[in-house]
């Protein structure tokens, strides 16, 4: 498909928004037609242009349009698309070997990624890691490990949670449409507790919200049956919900006191995204287990569970694994991506990006009461769209804003239980000017809808 004239990706790609056709253009429309005749209908698309190159803060499509990327392929390409160190590492590894299966004949990069994760995740206690392919697969393994360690079976997840699309993780996920509807029955022994959601819970303090959640857990499950609590430190798909201060520490303390494994799902929040290497650091918590994926490897499929050695080592030998888990190309990419996050100080860059986004919408909000809430940390920022003066969600307006931006060459994503949240997850490799231009388009979208 890629014409030989397609540009190479990476940061050398011209950093501009340039539309040469309508969105989608004629070639994308032709690919959409072929997609509808070859790909299962359940695989949906947010913005129907077919990409041929990406890098820095842009995605170039098959018609030659250059779009501003404010989504990073859902928080994956934090280091940028085709980031130079990642490209070099993957090319070199591909020429060496592409697979042996770590469980058959191992290789060094899997060990090095584990060492790096043990070092950069919160907590100075002895740790171990295990590598998998997707966020959902890592979440499943975190639950297996917690059950094996505690010899208990119940798991508590939270309102608005998103943990994936496999059977166990669908059960953990809160939202019915589009993730669960018609796909049951779901796994047993999953319970749901209320979250701290400052914009919608009447301003409960973190301690109050935690007390409510703990009461539900004690009344409906019982610590003696509970293997793990799993929570996203900032909820991603659920709407970039930042819990009130004290909520997460109170839950973590309760879990520790009751032999319950506290699992932080940092699949979306991890790797510099929130202006710390891991969001748990903002809240002063040291999760027993931390699940990572998305930003870990510059776009290659890799995920991990990292945590306390005694918990991670509980499953019997060969109880964990998988054919592709910790694939050598993905591990090479992860080592290069982690080096990039550290050496390019992308934690700092995430804070700068976040400040630009928050500043922009704070100014707009003064005269536009449809922006009910502006929240997030670092380069993980969202605005919640409501009917003015209320907390009533306005999903229709949210969709219209996203469509307006898409048609003008800006990739923005929506999220939220009520479908009324616009989220910003730009690559940390985006430049200020391009970011500002992308925000201008979203501001125009608000003004014109
Ligand atoms: C995306 C996501 C997952 C699932 O990851 P996949 O790689 O899509 O399986 C799990 N948890 C959170 C918080 C996520 O954002």
């Amino acid at each position: 498909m890629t014409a030989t004239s397609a540009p190479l990706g990476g940061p050398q790609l011209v950093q501009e928004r340039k539309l040469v056709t309508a969105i989608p253009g004629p070639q994308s429309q032709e690919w959409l037609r072929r997609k509808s005749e070859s790909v299962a209908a359940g695989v949906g698309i947010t913005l129907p242009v077919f990409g041929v190159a990406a890098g820095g803060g842009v995605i170039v499509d098959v018609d030659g349009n250059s779009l501003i990327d404010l989504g990073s392929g859902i928080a994956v390409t934090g280091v940028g698309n085709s980031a130079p160190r990642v490209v070099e590492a993957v090319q070199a590894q591909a020429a060496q070997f592409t697979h042996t299966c770590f469980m058959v004949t191992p290789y060094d990069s899997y060990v090095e990624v584990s060492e790096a994760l043990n070092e950069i995740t919160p907590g100075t206690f002895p740790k171990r890691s295990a590598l998998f392919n997707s966020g959902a697969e890592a979440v499943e393994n975190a639950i297996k490990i917690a059950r094996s360690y505690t010899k208990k079976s119940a798991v508590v997840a939270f309102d608005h949670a998103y943990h994936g699309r496999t059977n166990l993780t669908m059960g953990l996920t809160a939202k019915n449409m589009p993730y669960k509807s018609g796909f049951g029955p779901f796994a047993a022994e999953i319970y749901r507790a209320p979250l701290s959601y400052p914009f919608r819970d009447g301003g409960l303090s973190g301690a109050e919200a935690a007390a409510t959640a703990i009461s539900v857990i004690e009344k409906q499950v019982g610590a003696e049956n509970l293997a793990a609590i799993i929570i996203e430190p900032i909820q991603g798909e659920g709407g970039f919900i930042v819990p009130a201060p004290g909520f997460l520490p109170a839950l973590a303390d309760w879990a520790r006191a009751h032999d319950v494994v506290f699992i932080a799902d940092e699949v979306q929040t991890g790797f510099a995204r929130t202006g710390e290497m891991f969001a748990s650091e903002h809240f002063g918590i040291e999760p027993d287990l931390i699940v990572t994926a998305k930003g870990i490897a510059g776009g290659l499929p890799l995920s991990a569970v990292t945590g306390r050695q005694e918990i991670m080592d509980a499953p019997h030998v060969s109880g964990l694994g998988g054919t592709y888990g910790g694939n050598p190309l993905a591990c090479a990419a992860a080592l290069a991506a982690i080096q990039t996050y550290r050496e390019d100080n992308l934690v700092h860059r995430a804070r700068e990006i976040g400040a630009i986004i928050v500043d922009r919408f704070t100014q707009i909000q003064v005269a536009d009461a449809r922006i009910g809430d502006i929240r997030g940390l670092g380069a993980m920022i969202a605005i919640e769209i409501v009917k003015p003066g209320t907390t009533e969600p306005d999903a229709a307006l949210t969709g219209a804003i996203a469509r307006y931006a898409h048609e003008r060459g800006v990739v923005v994503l929506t999220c939220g239980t009520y479908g009324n949240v616009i989220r910003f997850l730009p690559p940390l490799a985006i430049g200020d000017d391009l970011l500002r231009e992308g925000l201008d388009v979203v501001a125009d979208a608000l003004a014109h809808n």
Side-chain angles (χ1 to χ4, degrees), residues 134-137 139 162-165 232 236-237 265 267-268 293-294:
S134 68
E137 191 188 359
V139 168
Y162 181 82
H163 298 291
R165 293 174 182 264
E232 301 154 81
E237 305 304 304
D265 180 348
V267 168
Q268 193 155 159
K294 293 196 166 100

Side-chain angles (χ1 to χ4, degrees), residues 76-378:
V76 169
T77 52
V79 293
N81 246 296
S82 299
R85 292 185 188 87
V86 172
V87 171
E88 195 187 335
V90 172
Q91 283 176 339
Q93 179 59 48
Q96 293 293 131
F97 62 94
T98 48
H99 176 83
T100 60
C101 186
F102 188 77
M103 303 180 303
V104 178
T105 56
Y107 38 88
D108 54 8
S109 57
Y110 187 117
V111 177
E112 289 182 296
V113 171
S114 300
E115 289 170 349
L117 291 171
N118 297 346
E119 185 195 332
I120 66 177
T121 48
T124 53
F125 39 79
K127 292 179 205 150
R128 297 290 184 270
S129 288
L131 305 185
F132 306 97
N133 300 287
S134 68
E137 191 188 359
V139 168
E140 295 239 359
N141 277 277
I143 303 295
K144 281 167 65 173
I145 292 164
R147 285 175 169 162
S148 175
Y149 175 71
T150 59
K151 304 192 168 48
K152 299 187 277 186
S153 57
V155 180
V156 162
F158 285 78
D159 285 337
H160 311 287
Y162 181 82
H163 298 291
R165 293 174 182 264
T166 57
N167 186 269
L168 179 60
T169 60
M170 271 194 295
L172 294 168
T173 291
K175 194 174 176 179
N176 176 44
M177 279 299 280
Y179 306 121
K180 304 169 72 164
S181 189
F183 298 141
F186 304 112
E189 288 306 305
I190 294 170
Y191 301 88
R192 198 161 305 283
L195 185 74
S196 165
Y197 189 164
F199 183 63
R200 293 191 175 277
D201 66 11
L204 286 182
S205 71
E208 288 165 338
T212 306
I214 289 166
S215 168
V216 167
I217 295 167
E218 288 180 336
K219 298 290 174 294
Q220 298 186 15
V221 191
E224 68 277 22
N225 303 305
L226 185 58
I229 286 176
I230 182 163
I231 190 163
E232 301 154 81
I234 301 171
Q235 287 193 324
E237 305 304 304
F240 283 22
I241 304 164
V242 185
F247 179 72
L248 292 170
L251 289 179
D253 288 348
W254 180 86
R256 190 141 308 137
H258 291 87
D259 185 32
V260 171
V261 176
F262 184 88
I263 305 171
D265 180 348
E266 291 233 26
V267 168
Q268 193 155 159
T269 53
F271 296 100
R273 174 54 56 187
T274 66
E276 293 285 358
M277 196 56 102
F278 295 95
S280 293
E281 297 167 54
H282 288 289
F283 304 100
I285 53 168
E286 292 180 347
D288 298 315
L289 301 181
I290 179 161
V291 183
T292 54
K294 293 196 166 100
I296 193 172
L300 275 85
L302 186 72
S303 63
V305 183
T306 299
R308 291 180 187 274
Q309 184 238 313
E310 65 275 19
I311 301 175
M312 290 297 297
D313 282 344
H316 50 273
V317 171
S318 299
L320 303 177
T323 307
Y324 293 111
N327 168 271
L329 299 178
C331 285
L335 291 171
I338 291 168
Q339 186 190 8
T340 304
Y341 285 117
R342 296 174 111 180
E343 290 182 359
D344 294 359
N345 198 359
L346 294 183
V347 162
H348 178 71
R349 182 62 190 145
R351 292 180 196 175
E352 291 178 343
I353 288 171
I356 291 171
I357 302 172
V358 169
D359 186 55
R360 186 68 204 263
F361 288 106
T362 304
Q363 286 173 29
I364 297 172
Q365 190 187 33
V366 172
D368 192 341
R370 297 172 304 171
I371 301 179
D373 197 19
I374 304 167
R375 58 175 181 255
L377 289 167

